């Protein structure tokens, strides 16, 4: 089928092309799309060069599906135009996630909500995706009441400019190079930790934190789950990490928790204190799974678990999740 990748020159778009190729998604014609600045440039897919086309040319070519990773405002403007041409849009931005008429999907959790009528499907925020993949099997068994999450997020979640800032700062500090680099953040990120992701809201939380609160309930289909989040940027590239404290309505057995997670789709348990095995972003990098470890009881209150969740934010947090949605649509004949 014809597939458009919108934002094909960006960090997520590049990863999207890689994941589509690796998973052998059935593509007869690829339409890479980016801003007017990039039209005519080449991108590579499966060893072949493809020319970047404009939005209007992509719509005119009538692909079956368009996977968008080009920012919220681009998506708000263009996704409806693709949809009204009969093209199914899978959107990585935050533009449609909380729109009650749009589905917000993590295939391991709620792919079954999708129908052929869904023409704009939202891909959740990266930090939410990896958390719900690990929470879902536990929620089914023990019923989650409350989640307290603190994140340790990779600079790749901000895009190319942030990677350039981190590497520029590092080259300056370590190699003494005095090359120009862009500032994606207000502050240095190398040798630093920034406790702000996205803009501040009226309630004192950041938009990223409130995304984790709202998206978790929507994906898991349960508004009774209370989530409170602190989202933090750290000078790391391989993936996002999360310290998650979960209170359940019902008590659990730690070995049973490990068993449930080990057999859950998309989850790999890495949890052995004796050999110091736990998930780390350098190991999750370039993998599609969600890694869970440091499983232990919170000894300060009943029915409460502490866990550590790591995943590659550009893969499961963005590209892989979007491609899995497309694969599900194909497998159910919904495209
Ligand atoms: N990075 C993550 O972990 C992550 C995770 C989930 C979702 N997302 C979302 O994915 C999107 C892209 O993120 P990124 O990290 O890949 O950013 P990025 O590296 O800055 O790439 C942005 C892409 O969007 C294209 N673009 C920008 N304005 C456009 C326009 N008006 N029309 C068409 N294309 C346009 C750019 O094309 P040019 O090269 O021509 O400028 C580029 O291909 C964002 O919405 C982000 O929120 C990111």
């Amino acid at each position: 089928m014809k597939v458009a990748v919108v934002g094909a020159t960006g960090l997520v778009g590049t990863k999207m092309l890689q994941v589509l190729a690796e998973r052998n998604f059935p593509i007869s014609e690829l339409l890479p799309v980016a801003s007017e600045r990039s039209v005519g440039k080449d991108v590579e897919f499966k060893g072949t060069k493809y020319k970047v086309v404009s939005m209007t040319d992509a719509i005119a070519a009538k692909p079956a599906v368009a996977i968008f990773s080009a920012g919220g405002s681009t998506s708000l403007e263009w996704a409806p135009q693709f949809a009204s041409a009969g093209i199914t849009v899978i959107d990585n931005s935050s533009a449609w996630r909380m729109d009650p008429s749009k589905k917000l999907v993590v295939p391991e959790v709620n792919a079954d909500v999708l129908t052929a009528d869904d023409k704009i499907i939202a891909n959740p925020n990266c930090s939410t995706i990896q958390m719900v993949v690990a929470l879902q099997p536990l929620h089914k068994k023990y019923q989650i009441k409350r989640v307290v999450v603190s994140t340790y997020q990779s600079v790749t979640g901000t895009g190319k400019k942030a990677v350039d800032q981190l590497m520029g700062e590092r080259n300056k500090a370590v190699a003494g190079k005095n090359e120009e680099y862009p500032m994606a953040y207000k502050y240095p990120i190398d040798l630093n930790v920034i406790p702000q992701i996205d803009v501040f809201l009226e309630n004192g939380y950041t938009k990223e934190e409130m995304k984790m609160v709202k998206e978790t309930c929507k994906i898991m289909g349960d508004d009774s789950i209370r989530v409170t989040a602190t989202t933090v940027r750290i000078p790391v590239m391989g993936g996002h990490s999360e310290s998650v404290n979960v209170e359940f309505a019902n008590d659990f057995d730690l070995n049973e928790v490990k068993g449930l997670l080990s057999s859950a789709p998309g989850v790999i348990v890495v949890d052995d204190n004796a050999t110091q095995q736990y998930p780390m972003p350098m190991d999750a990098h370039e993998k599609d799974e969600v890694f869970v470890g440091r499983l232990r009881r919170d000894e300060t209150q009943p029915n409460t678990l502490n866990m550590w969740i790591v995943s590659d934010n550009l893969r499961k947090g963005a590209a892989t999740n979007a491609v899995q949605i497309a694969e599900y649509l194909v497998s159910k004949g919904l495209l």
Side-chain angles (χ1 to χ4, degrees):
M1 68 184 62
K2 275 191 202 174
V3 175
V5 173
V6 180
T9 53
L11 269 191
V12 177
T14 306
K15 191 60 67 183
M16 197 71 71
L17 295 174
Q18 190 187 331
V19 172
L20 285 165
E22 279 170 16
R23 297 174 77 98
N24 244 331
F25 191 79
I27 298 181
S28 58
E29 188 183 337
L30 176 74
L31 299 157
V33 188
S35 76
E36 292 296 335
R37 295 180 291 277
S38 302
V39 170
K41 281 189 190 165
D42 287 328
V43 297
E44 215 176 282
F45 178 69
K46 289 191 168 176
T48 304
K49 286 193 166 45
Y50 290 80
K51 293 260 178 252
V52 171
V53 301
S54 69
M55 291 287 206
T56 27
D57 286 349
I59 294 175
K62 290 244 160 95
V65 63
I67 309 180
F68 271 60
S69 314
S73 53
T74 308
S75 186
L76 279 174
E77 183 184 346
W78 287 96
Q81 299 184 50
F82 277 70
S84 56
I87 303 159
T88 299
V89 172
I90 301 171
D91 182 46
N92 265 300
S93 80
S94 58
W96 307 100
R97 291 179 189 151
M98 293 315 296
D99 181 327
S101 68
K102 307 287 182 293
K103 309 281 171 62
L104 182 65
V105 177
V106 176
E108 290 87 342
V109 180
N110 67 337
D112 56 351
V113 298
L114 290 169
T115 69
D117 294 335
D118 294 312
K119 286 296 173 204
I120 299 178
I121 300 162
N123 206 48
N125 175 258
C126 39
S127 19
T128 313
I129 292 177
Q130 65 183 69
M131 186 169 80
V132 297
V133 167
L135 290 183
Q136 175 71 5
L138 305 180
H139 183 52
K140 265 201 225 157
K141 180 80 183 177
Y142 311 114
Q143 179 72 38
I144 295 173
K145 284 171 68 179
R146 180 168 184 257
V147 177
V148 183
V149 53
S150 300
T151 69
Y152 305 67
Q153 296 184 219
S154 159
V155 291
T156 57
T158 313
K160 263 188 182 144
K161 195 174 168 188
V163 174
D164 291 345
Q165 181 184 336
L166 172 63
M167 295 323 291
E169 289 169 352
R170 189 153 298 188
N171 283 337
K172 193 171 172 184
V174 178
K177 289 189 188 158
N178 223 350
E179 288 157 359
E180 289 261 309
Y181 54 82
M183 287 296 281
Y185 307 111
K186 182 175 161 69
Y187 301 103
I189 183 63
D190 197 25
L191 304 173
N192 198 17
V193 161
I194 303 175
Q196 177 191 353
I197 297 185
D198 213 328
V199 294
F200 281 107
L201 304 174
E202 288 270 299
N203 64 357
Y205 286 79
T206 65
K207 204 169 164 192
E208 182 86 350
E209 287 161 353
M210 293 314 294
K211 283 178 196 168
M212 293 195 79
V213 172
K214 293 177 185 159
E215 292 180 21
T216 300
C217 292
K218 181 165 176 178
I219 301 160
M220 295 179 72
D222 188 341
D223 284 338
S224 74
I225 300 173
R226 288 175 302 146
V227 180
T228 185
T230 304
T231 57
V232 180
R233 189 73 65 193
I234 60 166
V236 154
M237 304 259 264
H240 293 348
S241 304
E242 299 175 345
S243 163
V244 184
N245 178 273
V246 199
E247 183 187 356
F248 299 104
N250 304 301
D251 200 9
F252 59 87
D253 172 80
L254 205 50
N255 283 326
E256 190 180 54
V257 163
K258 285 187 191 178
L260 286 169
L261 288 169
S262 300
S263 55
V267 176
I268 294 184
V269 175
V270 184
D271 190 48
D272 184 23
N273 294 348
T275 56
Q276 299 176 57
Q277 299 297 309
Y278 29 71
M280 293 186 288
M282 64 191 295
D283 298 326
H285 186 46
E286 290 299 343
K287 309 257 170 54
D288 285 324
E289 293 85 2
V290 171
F291 298 84
V292 182
R294 298 296 323 278
L295 291 157
R296 63 217 190 271
R297 260 182 192 284
D298 176 346
E299 295 180 336
T300 65
Q301 63 171 14
N303 306 351
T304 306
L305 177 75
N306 277 314
M307 62 207 292
W308 178 250
I309 303 172
V310 181
S311 194
D312 186 329
N313 54 297
L314 292 181
R315 281 188 167 258
K316 184 57 186 164
T320 303
N321 198 70
V323 175
Q324 285 173 325
I325 293 173
E327 287 172 345
Y328 179 87
L329 296 172
V330 172
S331 74
K332 298 289 174 192
L334 301 176
L335 274 183

